[in-house]
Amino acid sequence: MSELPFRIGHGYDLHRLTDGRKLILGGVEVPHEQGLLGHSDADCLTHALADAIFGALGLPDIGHYFPDDHPENEGLESVQILAKAVEECESAGYSVGNADLTILAQRPKMAPHIESIKNSLSKTLKIAPSQIGIKATTNEVLGPIGREEAIASFAVCLLIRKQV
Ligand code: MG
């Protein structure tokens, strides 16, 4: 891998909302009457962030590392997916600089959960919570997100080459 001083990556993910599932975002259970549907815990925020890291490294997306048709990935905690991305980052000679994330959800209100999500992600990323930005927006009642059929997330992440 070329020894760029910085590498930047972008990730996006969306999962469908459904009854009878927990809502997990950034590794935190957010109280809500519905949760996200998926083979894993369907944590779209963590998936977008992991894809941003894989993308920054020029690696394939999370579906390559954790295929959704493999039974061993059923119910997988997405924090493990993020940990794999961090492992790849470190073995390529980089550490995570900062990450900026956006959650698109009509409901529930995310503000009360932002700090605990930052704390959760910072542990896996091995950075301080202050190196993570998390914003949440509704979709102005428009489209599948606005109709509360889905929650989506965007992530941008900067990687910094470790001094050797
Ligand atoms: Mg996903």
Side-chain angles (χ1 to χ4, degrees):
M1 179 169 295
S2 82
E3 299 196 353
L4 294 169
F6 302 102
R7 300 184 73 107
I8 191 165
H10 170 260
Y12 167 77
D13 194 28
L14 175 149
H15 281 263
R16 198 184 282 259
L17 278 164
T18 189
D19 293 335
R21 295 265 303 181
K22 288 179 181 173
L23 176 57
I24 310 289
L25 289 169
V28 171
E29 186 179 340
V30 174
H32 193 47
E33 66 267 26
Q34 291 192 307
L36 295 172
L37 182 64
H39 195 63
S40 67
D41 62 11
D43 180 343
C44 67
L45 184 63
T46 300
H47 291 180
L49 178 54
D51 263 347
I53 295 171
F54 286 131
L57 295 165
L59 294 172
D61 65 25
I62 61 175
H64 169 84
Y65 295 97
F66 300 92
D68 65 6
D69 55 356
H70 282 203
E72 69 267 24
N73 294 332
E74 180 138 21
L76 181 73
E77 289 186 14
S78 297
V79 168
Q80 293 178 52
I81 298 174
L82 186 58
K84 170 68 177 168
V86 172
E87 190 185 304
E88 291 291 334
C89 172
E90 287 173 345
S91 64
Y94 289 84
S95 55
V96 175
N98 73 304
D100 188 19
L101 317 174
T102 302
I103 304 166
L104 292 84
Q106 193 62 41
R107 276 193 330 120
K109 285 240 174 293
M110 292 296 161
H113 310 291
I114 297 293
E115 284 310 309
S116 53
I117 294 173
K118 277 191 189 185
N119 286 330
S120 161
L121 292 174
S122 71
K123 289 190 186 93
T124 311
L125 294 175
K126 304 178 188 174
I127 59 177
S130 61
Q131 286 163 268
I132 305 173
I134 304 180
K135 294 159 271 86
T137 182
T138 70
N139 220 40
E140 293 288 338
V141 203
L142 293 171
I145 293 167
R147 289 191 298 268
E148 300 181 39
E149 294 167 5
I151 290 178
S153 301
F154 291 106
V156 174
C157 189
L158 187 73
L159 308 184
I160 302 172
R161 179 111 203 138
K162 287 187 241 179
Q163 301 297 325
V164 283

